Amino acid sequence: MKNLDQKFRFLLTGVALGAVAFVAPTIAAEDDKPAKPAVAKKQDEDAEAKEEKADDKAEEAEDEDKKKKEKTIAEKVKDMTELDGLFKMYQDPKNGSLMMEVREDQLGKEFIYFSHTADGVVEGGHFRGQYRQQKVFRIEKHFNKLEFVEVNPYFYFDPDNALSKAKDANISSATIATHTIDAKSEDGKSYLISVTGLFQSEAFDQVKPTPNPRLKPWERFNLGKLNSAKTKIQAVNNYPENTAVTVNYVYSNPTPMNRGQWFEITDARNVTVSVQHTLVAMPENDFKPRFDDPRVGYFLDYVNDMTDHGATPWRDMINRWNLVKKDPSAEISEPVEPITWWIENTTPTELRPTIRKAVEAWNIAFEAAGFKNAVVVKEQPDDAEWDAGDIRYNVLRWTSSPQPPFGGYGPSFSNPRTGQILAADIMLEYTFLTNRMNASKVFESAALGLESQDSQMEDFMASVKGHGRNCNLAGHLQINNMLGKTLAAINEAGPQASEKLVEEAIYYLMLHEVGHTLGLNHNMKATQARAYDEAHDIDKQANGLAGSVMDYPSINFAPPGEKQAHYYTVTPGTYDIWAIQFGYDPDLDDPAKMEAHLARSTEKALVFGNDADDMRAPGKAIDPRVNIYDMTDDAVQFAQDRLRLDRDAMGKLRAKFTTEGQSYQELRNAYLILTADMAWQGRVASRYVGGVYVDRAVAGQDGATAPYRPVEKDKQEQAMKLLRDYIFAPDAFQADPALFQHLAIQRRGFFHFTSNEDPALHGRALSIQADILAHLLHPNTLMRITDSGLYGNSYDVTEMMTDLTDAIFEDDSRGAVNTFRQELQVHYVKRLIGILESDDYDYVARSNAFSSLKTLGKDMARWRGDAATRAHRDHLAFLIEKALEVHKG
Ligand SMILES: [Zn+2]
């Protein structure tokens, strides 16, 4: 229970922070301005106070008049433009100010608030189409004021339990804003309030991101202060079910320390972010919530049952559309209302047929759930009178941004009271189809960017857990495509290979993003559903290359001698169909049928594990089968095949990627992508060392194993051998000097002014090796190896650390140690010393580090070599001696 509470708090904080923390380098800071004189600061505060109370002040000023003569709403708005809808709005045609009418029957009722970024700048923490907040709110009347109050939907009390009378205890609601009533209707049943300030302020949604404390003020872009004079209401759209107000927020920062890196910021002193606030009527239908099950991966609206006695008192509701059969008695029926997707009119026309096909492909899953034509695709006409911001339309959107935060993103928002999905969009970035190295920073950075990429991703996932509907698949696929194209060129697969892999990638991307909008979250275990020896056998791939399209797989490139099958899976997989049935099949309202359906989860094709379970980052999670960049049920063997391919490709790189009359940028990119793949494949294999397979089946379920089973010893050893041969070996990163000599960037203006253009060969190799050591020697990994010794693991820390030391020292123990290995060996010894001295590690790990250092210390004195090797070994001997000295006394 305690854990759950903590998780909850985390979640709620995540929601409050909004969806912006991932743009780590760009997040603005309050504190990155030079200190101001006291007077100026005071003025700022005054300005802020004024801004917050703008409406009320105006109201107060009018109070005197009111006392003389109370005007009715009709009199008050007679010169204003009336916009009828969920909440009747009035806009002053002279100055654009906005008033809102609230009927008495709307007081105390629950509504849903939803916000998204209509347009923004990525460095300011916003991008077009970004889903932000969803919350439940009420409008309450308190004397002469109307209050907007956010309601906490995360707790449930059985209404029959007397405790439900105390259901508000220690759960705070949040007052968003308070507004004085300006006028009443003639019959006294409606109230008018001024809402210009409500929308133009950040009352509903924190528009300016919270600064990232890990970055120095000059490292992050700072929006500055909200400028109320320049901020304006851009549009008001009113419909019977929702009222939408779009605001252009202008932020001013007269003395920016960081002016933005990517040209997208026209002038850092004045930046506009456009946010749409939508007030939505609580749906009135007989939608039945469907409750979550840990064996299937849906996005959730979380609810704690406070009157339940069980070990898991949760009523978490899955997110799904309100799909109802037209003919409830029919086996298969059309839905009363299908899930309709609109292809935005900005979509390149040549892509539309592929997109349509991929979206409609989901209908096979819905047919299994009893629905015909559940998903419908339409095209937005060029002269459409609605735009993609209109939440009544689910739109497949295309943009081409300067620095895209994603290549694709499939968010949805739901009713927190029931889990019903109310709207969804999919954002796609044209960069996905280009060869633009949009991740160049990631690749070039000294640390390879793998860790920083992940921590950014994790920040992002954490910050939006409340929404949780975000995805970096397109970025992942684009990198895979670049790898595929590189390998295709090396292996002379012909230009059609590149075309095919890009087409399959778009198809896969669409399937995946649409899957999110149907409620499905990631299934990073899905590639395990495919047998290793079927990976290149297209006849066995009718159900896809994996159990699900919701994974981040490696591209399935055929090694020499194998025929090329699918690069990516191009149909919803067995798991996807099963999951859609779980979410949508009306027959499964019957608990017995539902139980039987879920009992199938132990089938190989239905394996599931999401981002929380995946092992992408060092030390994170425990089941190596849940991972990204992997493929098939023998991911270690698949990784080895690929590493062989990469090594072979490295030897041919220069010949293939040198084009007369052109610079060497393409060659450099190909080198970066190949070495990055070495890192990914090494990572995939490394997770098997000390790994534990997890089975989420319930007790007594057919085909279930124990929930925790340590990875077989020979599989762990196989992984360790792979790392020794392909990642740590003396020649792992060796290549023809002529290749290294040509890894040159193409100069562009002053772009490399602040960083040298060195290809940083040793740094790159070491960052890849260090990344894998960070996992193998992570406190969690070493502790788990020892722990799991109690329940079946027979590859203990002593054996593992001996194998690792041998992998790093044995092959050149008798001769010269090359400079790649010198770097690696010093790094490894320093890590061992770190373990010895750190309280983060268990004592078994520390004793083994001590023992390994002792042995190595003797070896360093014993082993000889050329002058450079002796210098290196003397250094190591000194480091070890110094570290062990501390432990003598
Ligand atoms: Zn995704």
Side-chain angles (χ1 to χ4, degrees):
M1 195 58 217
K2 196 178 163 221
N3 275 341
L4 180 75
D5 281 343
Q6 281 169 346
K7 195 174 157 202
F8 241 82
R9 259 199 299 281
F10 170 63
L11 228 148
L12 297 178
T13 319
V15 177
L17 288 176
V20 288
F22 88 104
V23 205
T26 66
I27 281 169
E30 282 293 349
D31 56 349
D32 61 348
K33 278 167 277 175
K36 288 185 182 181
V39 179
K41 197 162 175 247
K42 177 79 173 55
Q43 280 167 353
D44 274 359
E45 280 165 10
D46 287 350
E48 206 168 59
K50 264 183 214 156
E51 186 182 293
E52 277 169 15
K53 292 187 173 170
D55 292 324
D56 284 352
K57 289 240 165 176
E59 286 150 9
E60 274 162 32
E62 285 170 27
D63 265 1
E64 289 303 304
D65 298 339
K66 267 193 216 163
K67 274 173 198 158
K68 286 172 206 155
K69 182 178 175 275
E70 292 270 348
K71 280 187 178 172
T72 63
I73 293 182
E75 288 167 325
K76 201 95 189 176
V77 302
K78 68 177 179 350
D79 296 326
M80 296 179 101
T81 311
E82 180 183 317
L83 299 151
D84 204 4
L86 177 65
F87 291 101
K88 202 179 268 186
M89 307 292 276
Y90 304 93
Q91 192 162 34
D92 188 325
K94 291 198 288 285
N95 61 17
S97 69
L98 208 58
M99 301 199 90
M100 175 169 148
E101 185 176 331
V102 180
R103 295 192 313 271
E104 199 153 76
D105 65 332
Q106 290 175 318
L107 294 178
K109 255 177 98 167
E110 290 193 343
F111 294 89
I112 299 169
Y113 167 83
F114 165 67
S115 60
H116 74 271
T117 301
D119 228 331
V121 284
V122 172
E123 290 194 73
H126 288 262
F127 57 91
R128 180 183 287 195
Q130 176 188 27
Y131 277 34
R132 301 178 54 75
Q133 297 268 330
Q134 64 185 51
K135 49 190 158 203
V136 179
F137 74 96
R138 278 195 304 256
I139 303 172
E140 312 268 14
K141 184 167 174 292
H142 187 72
F143 296 98
N144 66 336
K145 289 193 161 72
L146 293 189
E147 296 175 342
F148 288 76
V149 181
E150 180 179 346
V151 181
N152 184 322
Y154 300 103
F155 300 94
Y156 172 84
F157 289 76
D158 179 355
D160 294 335
N161 191 315
L163 268 173
S164 65
K165 295 193 188 78
K167 67 180 177 199
D168 296 331
N170 303 322
I171 299 168
S172 93
S173 51
T175 303
I176 297 166
T178 302
H179 291 270
T180 307
I181 296 168
D182 282 334
K184 287 182 195 167
S185 58
E186 199 121 25
D187 63 4
K189 288 186 175 168
S190 281
Y191 307 97
L192 187 72
I193 51 172
S194 169
V195 289
T196 314
L198 173 66
F199 289 108
Q200 286 192 176
S201 70
E202 297 188 34
F204 269 123
D205 183 9
Q206 180 191 336
V207 178
K208 176 176 163 167
T210 303
N212 182 339
R214 284 179 297 189
L215 294 176
K216 303 265 182 356
W218 53 89
E219 289 172 339
R220 58 198 176 198
F221 183 75
N222 178 13
L223 282 174
K225 263 202 179 327
L226 183 63
N227 186 323
S228 52
K230 292 180 183 172
T231 294
K232 62 185 180 196
I233 288 171
Q234 179 65 24
V236 182
N237 288 299
N238 224 346
Y239 311 102
E241 300 297 317
N242 78 75
T243 296
V245 178
T246 307
V247 178
N248 284 1
Y249 292 91
V250 179
Y251 289 87
S252 295
N253 185 358
T255 53
M257 292 177 87
N258 180 324
R259 291 173 184 273
Q261 293 182 66
W262 304 109
F263 296 116
E264 56 178 356
I265 305 216
T266 311
D267 182 343
R269 295 172 305 161
N270 292 291
V271 177
T272 304
V273 173
S274 182
V275 172
Q276 182 174 317
H277 307 273
T278 311
L279 314 180
V280 188
M282 190 59 85
E284 283 177 15
N285 53 27
D286 53 3
F287 179 86
K288 278 195 220 83
R290 199 163 267 191
F291 295 104
D292 180 47
D293 188 279
R295 292 165 282 186
V296 195
Y298 269 79
F299 294 122
L300 305 178
D301 278 298
Y302 294 92
V303 175
N304 270 342
D305 188 337
M306 305 307 283
T307 44
D308 186 282
H309 286 243
T312 55
W314 313 322
R315 290 170 61 86
D316 303 337
M317 297 162 297
I318 65 165
N319 289 161
R320 61 187 189 121
W321 294 87
N322 185 23
L323 219 53
V324 179
K325 279 185 179 177
K326 255 188 203 162
D327 177 1
S329 61
E331 186 95 345
I332 293 192
S333 163
E334 294 212 335
V336 175
E337 209 181 314
I339 303 163
T340 305
W341 279 102
W342 292 86
I343 297 178
E344 193 176 19
N345 54 23
T346 57
T347 307
T349 45
E350 69 277 13
L351 296 177
R352 295 183 190 185
T354 309
I355 291 169
R356 173 184 289 272
K357 232 170 91 187
V359 178
E360 287 173 347
W362 274 101
N363 277 322
I364 63 161
F366 283 100
E367 275 162 29
F371 291 97
K372 196 165 73 182
N373 300 328
V375 181
V376 171
V377 180
K378 293 182 178 172
E379 288 190 29
Q380 182 192 26
D382 282 338
D383 58 355
E385 280 175 7
W386 53 274
D387 66 39
D390 188 336
I391 64 160
R392 297 172 306 158
Y393 295 89
N394 310 311
V395 187
L396 298 154
R397 311 187 60 183
W398 279 88
T399 46
S400 183
S401 320
Q403 191 61 20
F406 298 102
Y409 161 74
S412 61
F413 92 92
S414 58
N415 177 358
R417 290 294 188 200
T418 62
Q420 183 194 341
I421 298 176
L422 300 173
D425 285 312
I426 291 178
M427 303 297 306
L428 298 155
E429 271 288 344
Y430 197 64
T431 168
F432 177 65
L433 299 171
T434 66
N435 280 322
R436 197 158 101 202
M437 195 88 167
N438 67 323
S440 60
K441 241 183 107 194
V442 166
F443 285 116
E444 298 269 8
S445 71
L448 188 66
L450 285 166
E451 283 180 67
S452 62
Q453 186 187 25
D454 277 330
S455 69
Q456 277 187 25
M457 194 59 203
E458 269 163 31
D459 283 354
F460 182 59
M461 292 303 292
S463 69
V464 291
K465 274 238 166 81
H467 297 276
R469 279 136 235 191
N470 304 285
C471 181
N472 193 28
L473 176 72
H476 172 95
L477 283 179
Q478 196 208 6
I479 292 167
N480 268 283
N481 288 350
M482 291 176 74
L483 174 70
K485 287 180 196 169
T486 303
L487 293 176
I490 297 278
N491 293 283
E492 299 184 336
Q496 71 283 4
S498 295
E499 274 168 39
K500 185 173 170 232
L501 76 87
V502 170
E503 193 188 333
E504 288 194 356
I506 299 172
Y507 204 94
Y508 184 76
L509 177 67
M510 293 311 306
L511 282 173
H512 178 106
E513 299 302 342
V514 172
H516 279 318
T517 64
L518 298 174
L520 300 179
N521 64 33
H522 286 143
N523 182 354
M524 301 310 198
K525 199 176 183 178
T527 46
Q528 292 282 329
R530 174 66 50 207
Y532 167 74
D533 53 16
E534 292 173 3
H536 309 297
D537 183 351
I538 201 155
D539 295 333
K540 301 248 169 75
Q541 293 167 9
N543 298 323
L545 258 182
S548 170
V549 296
M550 304 311 292
D551 203 339
Y552 285 14
S554 168
I555 185 170
N556 182 39
F557 194 89
E562 296 279 4
K563 235 179 138 198
Q564 181 61 51
H566 284 301
Y567 293 102
Y568 302 103
T569 195
V570 290
T571 177
T574 311
Y575 165 87
D576 299 320
I577 294 169
W578 177 72
I580 290 296
Q581 287 174 300
F582 166 78
Y584 291 91
D585 190 341
D587 289 350
L588 300 186
D589 283 337
D590 176 350
K593 284 185 183 163
M594 179 59 98
E595 217 181 285
H597 186 71
L598 287 167
R600 289 182 52 204
S601 77
T602 48
E603 291 173 22
K604 183 175 176 174
L606 304 182
V607 288
F608 162 71
N610 68 14
D611 315 59
D613 294 330
D614 81 44
M615 292 192 79
R616 74 179 78 178
K620 176 181 168 289
I622 70 176
D623 186 341
R625 298 172 302 178
V626 191
N627 214 340
I628 60 175
Y629 288 110
D630 58 344
M631 189 47 99
T632 81
D633 63 357
D634 194 346
V636 177
Q637 192 56 49
F638 188 92
Q640 187 166 323
D641 296 346
R642 174 64 69 70
L643 285 163
R644 206 177 292 144
L645 207 54
D646 291 340
R647 183 175 282 184
D648 172 65
M650 199 61 86
K652 299 174 183 163
L653 216 50
R654 197 164 75 87
K656 285 286 170 198
F657 287 91
T658 307
T659 312
E660 208 158 308
Q662 287 187 14
S663 76
Y664 297 96
Q665 187 71 51
E666 208 187 348
L667 178 65
R668 183 164 173 133
N669 287 359
Y671 167 80
L672 291 172
I673 206 91
L674 275 187
T675 42
D677 190 45
M678 290 172 67
W680 298 320
Q681 298 310 320
R683 273 180 163 196
V684 165
S686 71
R687 276 32 176 187
Y688 282 80
V689 177
V692 169
Y693 301 133
V694 178
D695 186 342
R696 303 219 183 269
V698 297
Q701 194 175 323
D702 267 355
T705 63
Y708 294 147
R709 275 182 309 132
V711 172
E712 308 81 358
K713 186 179 185 189
D714 58 351
K715 180 58 74 182
Q716 297 193 54
E717 286 173 335
Q718 185 195 352
M720 192 62 103
K721 175 135 192 349
L722 173 147
L723 296 174
R724 177 175 178 154
D725 293 347
Y726 290 92
I727 302 293
F728 300 135
D731 62 350
F733 293 89
Q734 287 286 20
D736 180 3
L739 170 67
F740 293 150
Q741 206 172 20
H742 286 86
L743 295 176
I745 59 166
Q746 178 169 325
R747 189 193 66 79
R748 185 185 185 195
F750 297 90
F751 265 44
H752 54 277
F753 193 82
T754 53
S755 61
N756 284 341
E757 61 175 283
D758 290 322
L761 305 165
H762 286 91
R764 186 158 185 84
L766 186 61
S767 68
I768 292 168
Q769 294 162 331
D771 174 71
I772 284 162
L773 287 173
H775 179 75
L776 295 175
L777 299 177
H778 195 281
N780 296 352
T781 310
L782 294 175
M783 182 78 252
R784 188 179 324 113
I785 290 174
T786 299
D787 269 350
S788 58
L790 300 175
Y791 57 92
N793 179 31
S794 50
Y795 191 51
D796 65 20
V797 171
T798 307
E799 215 172 330
M800 181 275 209
M801 235 185 235
T802 306
D803 285 351
L804 188 56
T805 305
D806 286 350
I808 291 170
F809 282 91
E810 213 171 42
D811 290 347
D812 44 17
S813 62
R814 289 174 186 281
V817 179
N818 71 31
T819 47
F820 281 120
R821 286 276 275 197
Q822 289 183 20
E823 293 286 307
L824 171 63
Q825 292 177 356
V826 174
H827 176 87
Y828 178 64
V829 163
K830 285 191 160 184
R831 263 197 188 273
L832 291 180
I833 294 170
I835 293 173
L836 186 61
E837 291 170 353
S838 164
D839 288 333
D840 293 342
Y841 287 87
D842 60 273
Y843 294 120
V844 175
R846 291 170 74 172
S847 303
N848 278 285
F850 180 81
S851 171
S852 298
L853 284 168
K854 242 176 109 178
T855 311
L856 275 174
K858 284 184 206 147
D859 290 343
M860 290 311 106
R862 204 155 51 86
W863 294 346
R864 306 313 302 157
D866 57 17
T869 301
R870 283 204 303 280
H872 162 66
R873 286 181 175 149
D874 282 351
H875 178 209
L876 284 179
F878 170 75
L879 289 175
I880 294 168
E881 197 181 331
K882 204 175 71 172
L884 297 184
E885 190 69 27
V886 182
H887 292 264
K888 261 187 186 166

